[in-house]
Amino acid sequence: MTVILDGKTVSERRIELLREAIDESGFSPRLATVLVGDDPASALYVRMKHQACERVHIGSINVTLPAGATTERVLETVRRLNADPEIHGILVQLPLPAGIDREAVIEAVSPEKDVDGFHPCNLGRLVSGQPLFAPCTPLGIMNLLCEYGITPGGQRAVVVGRSIDVGRPMAALLLNADATVTVCHRRTRDLGSVVRSADLVVVAVGQARFLTAEMVGEGATVVDVGTNRVEGRLVGDVDFEAVRERAGAITPVPGGVGPMTIATLMENTFEAARRLTCGSAP
Ligand code: NAP
């Protein structure tokens, strides 16, 4: 029987536990989001993050800048939030409009407030095995696997996709958890046979139903990061109905990785507030 890795239910439970922990802590965590431009999807993601903040009793503010804002204006905003002692976590919603220097903006966020985990310091710490903040999507996946008692240690893990926000940090987290990790991309030869050899597959390519049943080994754990709009519906990177027949465990889309990402952002923000309030060094 294939186990459905139900990120929605697990994230709800983690949100409840987090709210209790925050209420008991006496801290007042606050998250600041920075939204540049008027992309409707980005605006929706930012709204969802603020709704999650409300649920866990994290204060939140949003700074909206026009699509035509300069890199310098975005940097000024980030610097102001860095200097604000009432703000513990900063999230700049990506993607940024064309013309804004994404790397400069990411590097401007104080690593101690970088709850998205994209700052090179945080990515470097993750790769060195000493994470402070890890990116929310891959960390959420690790939490989801853990909740289902799936331990990556010793497993052959294949990550398809090598982006900075998902594929690369996912590979680092799995390696830190003692998996034997292979990372695939467009230049990977014979992708099907590489993926078929895996006990655990994480797919983050951004192409609807990219991973087919023939590419999956019997009993493998399959994690689908993809979010693709097809005829108005949200569809993952995995051909879910066919792959679930072969997989031992699989995440659905929607209701798998997405809700875990938001819950993990909340957990990272609480952790940032705890560290900044207690003054504990990383
Ligand atoms: P991305 O930056 O576009 O990276 C896609 C990766 O997939 C690249 O490394 C690319 O390889 C690889 N790839 C593309 N086509 C391939 C192919 N035919 N064979 C092998 N590799 C291929 O995307 P991303 O930011 O990682 O996001 C991936 C998906 O996850 C998107 O659908 C995104 O919306 C979704 N996502 C969901 C969440 C969530 O919370 N649920 C969070 C983040 C992202 P190259 O490097 O060789 O080009």
Side-chain angles (χ1 to χ4, degrees):
M1 208 10 214
T2 308
V3 176
I4 305 297
L5 302 171
D6 181 352
K8 190 164 189 307
T9 302
V10 168
S11 67
E12 290 288 327
R13 193 168 63 236
R14 292 179 75 100
I15 289 270
E16 294 294 320
L17 289 172
L18 183 63
R19 184 175 54 223
E20 284 168 26
I22 289 173
D23 288 348
E24 282 167 16
S25 72
F27 301 143
S28 304
R30 286 191 95 208
L31 174 72
T33 58
V34 180
L35 175 64
V36 189
D38 44 21
D39 175 49
S42 292
L44 173 67
Y45 290 138
V46 166
R47 271 202 308 279
M48 286 165 68
K49 288 163 189 173
H50 287 274
Q51 281 164 3
C53 283
E54 264 182 48
R55 291 190 55 202
V56 293
H57 301 165
I58 287 179
S60 68
I61 60 161
N62 177 55
V63 182
T64 303
L65 297 173
T70 59
T71 299
E72 189 48 41
R73 183 152 174 218
V74 183
L75 293 177
E76 271 169 26
T77 302
V78 170
R79 287 188 203 113
R80 187 168 48 75
L81 295 168
N82 282 341
D84 185 341
E86 300 291 311
I87 297 294
H88 306 103
I90 301 171
L91 179 146
V92 180
Q93 185 64 41
L94 300 176
L96 289 164
I100 293 181
D101 184 342
R102 171 190 145 118
E103 271 61 47
V105 172
I106 288 173
E107 287 190 36
V109 176
S110 161
E112 287 76 28
K113 297 188 178 186
D114 172 37
V115 286
D116 243 351
F118 295 157
H119 192 287
C121 280
N122 281 323
L123 290 173
R125 291 187 67 107
L126 178 60
V127 170
S128 72
Q130 315 253 307
L132 177 59
F133 294 114
C136 301
T137 298
L139 184 56
I141 291 169
M142 295 300 284
N143 291 338
L144 183 62
L145 295 174
C146 179
E147 293 268 2
Y148 279 89
I150 298 171
T151 43
Q155 295 207 24
R156 281 166 301 188
V158 169
V159 180
V160 190
R162 57 176 166 178
S163 68
I164 286 294
D165 50 335
V166 188
R168 288 173 198 245
M170 186 78 248
L173 283 163
L174 288 166
L175 185 60
N176 291 349
D178 298 326
T180 302
V181 185
T182 304
V183 181
C184 299
H185 45 79
R186 284 178 214 268
R187 298 289 301 274
T188 300
R189 271 187 277 132
D190 199 2
L191 183 77
S193 72
V194 177
V195 174
R196 234 179 343 267
S197 70
D199 306 306
L200 168 61
V201 191
V202 180
V203 193
V205 299
Q207 291 172 35
R209 303 187 187 98
F210 172 84
L211 195 90
T212 57
E214 304 75 60
M215 297 165 85
V216 175
E218 197 73 44
T221 299
V222 178
V223 177
D224 187 353
V225 183
T227 49
N228 311 286
R229 284 258 157 224
V230 177
E231 293 164 1
R233 274 185 55 221
L234 200 58
V235 174
D237 287 351
V238 173
D239 184 357
F240 180 82
E241 289 306 331
V243 171
R244 73 182 290 181
E245 300 295 322
R246 287 182 70 85
I250 186 168
T251 60
V253 176
V257 172
M260 292 301 295
T261 299
I262 294 195
T264 305
L265 174 66
M266 298 299 110
E267 290 165 353
N268 275 358
T269 304
F270 179 44
E271 178 62 12
R274 206 183 53 76
R275 284 176 180 277
L276 287 164
T277 310
C278 298
S280 61

